[in-house]
Amino acid sequence: MAKLINNSLSAASPIKKVAVIGAGTMGAGIAGQVANAGVEVWLLDLPSAGDSVNALAERGFKRLNNPNAPGLMSNEAGQLIHCGNTEDDFEQLADCDWVAEAVVERLDIKQALYQRIDVMTGANTIITSNTSTIPISLLTQGMPQAFCERFAITHFFNPVRFMRLLELVRGEHTSDEVVKTLEQFCESNLGKGVVVCEDTPGFLGNRVGVFAIQCALHTAFDMGLSPAEADALFGRPMGIPKTGVFGLYDLIGIDLMADVAKSLESILPAEDEFHQYAQPIPLMTKMVANGQTGNKGGQGFYRDTDAGKQMLNLTDGTYQTTARLQLPMAQQAEVQGVAVLLDDDSAYGRFAWQVLSSTLNYAAALIPEIGRNILPIDDAMKLGYNWIYGPFELLDQIGAQRVVERMQKENRQVAPMLLLAAKQQGFYQVIDQQLCSLEQEGQYAPINRPTGVLRFSELRQTLTAQYSNAKASWFEYDGAAIIEFHSKANALDSESMDVIRHALEQAQQRQLRGVVIHNDAQHFSCGVNLVAFREFFETQDYKGMDDFLNHFQQTMHAINECPLPVIAAPAGMSIGGGFEVVLAADHVIGHANSVMGLVESSVGVVPGGGGCKEYLYRWYEVLGDMKAAAWKAFMILGYGWTATSPIEATEQAMLYPEDQYMMNRDRLLGEALSQLDRVKKAKPRQPLPMAGEDTYREMMDWLFEAEDQQKITAHDVAVGTELARIFTGGKVKPNTMMSEQDLFDAERESFLRLARSKDTQARIVSMLDLGSPIRN
């Protein structure tokens, strides 16, 4: 099983036992992540009168095993969670190092609970609340000084396992030692990007994030834009998740988002600009009353029907069929940057300007209320709202002076911090080869991350690419070559392979320590660029397709054959061709939430970059039986199965037991660089004794039977036939020896046969038209 890397801070943590009170979505999620970190945790809720007195806690635990969004990484993690109730099991708090409260957002209930917790726990037990709205001063009102000193807010974001942000809020009396312990444990053990906040309304993430959403929502209504038009702009073109504003409302729940806005409105000062965008919209009030609450209600601003996706007409409240909107300026902004949106004088450009200028100016206006430095706000938006760039990074891209001049022409009030940046050199500067951020006093302070944390998105600003094209680059740092993919969804093509080959060759010539393949994007790589394959089959250029596949294969082989160690440090999705890169590496140091797998069967093809070859070798090494190995590879790749954690990936031979993972993705690069000198190259692979014709016939019988039972389609049979041919050798005698190159060739031949199929081509076109992440 892949091994969890515990750094020195993590291993020495004083937190060995945790209790979480409140087993709702957030409480259960917190308990699950604590267990994922290998720490014992009690999950408590109110006692129940039914068959099980612990029914509420057990329901929360069951929620963690949802296969669509698993809160637990393994069965072993689940065994560390003990379900209980606040009557029979409250004494468990006596020897807990941390008690996290996540009960309903009612001050009276929380305060009554704190009275009980104070009596039961020891003087060194840390107490926190997951509240997002109630100030610490109210939470601890009437509590002893000693309790206040060990109390803080730990505001997690949902889903807890996957959302990286943790807002750590200290009160007037919270001790430095409590803040330090929580910061280290949550960063190192739980894998969170910890942002220490002042006790101000809405903290950081929701303060800016909800403002941006509400601003986009109200501006779209005011300008008469449709949900599709607004979402095409307020999404990837602005460096924001593709759901957009109306899609996000549907995803979260229109009623819930209305409550969030109302809650923030109630706690923010009267002069806060948020109030301008907080008023309920009559149409949305009517929608909630009608049960049009979004995805959970089956319909909201969008709905799915047998006739296709439909969109709500904001004028008359009716639904109309809509296609995915393609706005040229939005597509251009995705490639060239957000500033493109502001060069347009159409309604779309005016919408983008109003939303961006208001949101970015609002973020700047929070200095110094929330602190002296801009960095926590940028971190909060990237880690908690999945923005690619924080507000101040966006302002640097656009140009602070440009924004100020345009706002002043419109007679709008400009935040002092934004005015300061316009006079200075922006919000971020590289000084003496170190990235620095602007502070309120006009000074640039070096960005100092915790020991071991190394974000490549920050590091690369201090480096010069040794070789670069539109799809990838490589840099020299710490005696190593670092390869970064940076295309859309990090889709791979010939240019990506060119950078890998160049880095491998130059690393040897320069006698570097090794090569690390890593990036800070949301996903390591979502596979090969399908647009390129669409062009191949539309022009009937199957030789060009074969040449590309051979280029890909030989690049993967070059990683294997490189005398220097090659480490892959993936986070997010590594699927299809992206996972073939991971498979080719000598060692993997992945993120705990990495999703891995060879999913080509879903597109109607087979892995063509060496994935079939590599996977067969790995199962043979695990089982020592070629027939059993062939069946394992056949079934897993046939279904396009993916592992949702490195633990699952190891169980399915996608990773070696010697491979490793870390809870915090910001530690991957630093750890990979530190381990280069310890990685051993694998020995050259010997030819495999193929299972042969009998096993091939058995697989074909299985395919035809599954088709007869309508479990798979005719094209699934075609894909399965090619997988069977690759994994058994087809109609060869058992124990016929096949080399790595033989298997490479078999993959390409199978891929090309399937690529000529109209069914495969239709699947690729469909995925591209639907906006699959495996496109560019």
Side-chain angles (χ1 to χ4, degrees), residues 352-387:
W353 163 249
Q354 179 62 33
V355 174
L356 281 170
S357 62
S358 299
T359 299
L360 303 183
N361 187 60
Y362 183 77
L366 295 179
I367 306 293
E369 177 189 348
I370 54 84
R372 300 167 56 244
N373 198 289
I374 61 174
L375 191 63
I377 296 179
D378 274 353
D379 279 351
M381 297 315 299
K382 290 187 290 185
L383 302 179
Y385 276 77
N386 286 332
W387 287 20

Side-chain angles (χ1 to χ4, degrees), residues 27 34 100 129 145 152 162 237 264 274 284 291 320 433 437 523 525 539 602 665 676 706 721 736 748 750 759 765 770:
V34 170
S129 173
Q145 175 80 11
F162 298 102
L264 267 178
F274 180 81
M284 294 173 62
Q320 56 194 40
Q433 295 186 312
S437 61
H523 300 300
S525 173
T539 59
S602 65
R665 64 178 290 163
L676 273 177
T721 299
T736 298
R748 290 207 320 281
S750 289
D759 287 334
V765 170
L770 290 173

Side-chain angles (χ1 to χ4, degrees), residues 462-517:
T462 70
L463 305 175
T464 300
Q466 302 299 298
Y467 181 73
S468 181
N469 56 38
K471 305 304 170 56
S473 304
W474 80 269
F475 303 79
E476 185 176 338
Y477 176 76
D478 193 21
I482 302 175
I483 299 172
E484 177 199 34
F485 304 137
H486 47 63
S487 59
K488 185 174 180 180
N490 286 335
L492 306 175
D493 60 17
S494 292
E495 289 185 90
S496 315
M497 299 302 106
D498 291 342
V499 171
I500 294 176
R501 295 295 286 267
H502 192 275
L504 294 173
E505 293 165 2
Q506 287 297 306
Q508 295 174 61
Q509 290 184 20
R510 301 182 193 188
Q511 298 183 327
L512 300 181
R513 296 191 298 127
V515 178
V516 176
I517 308 175

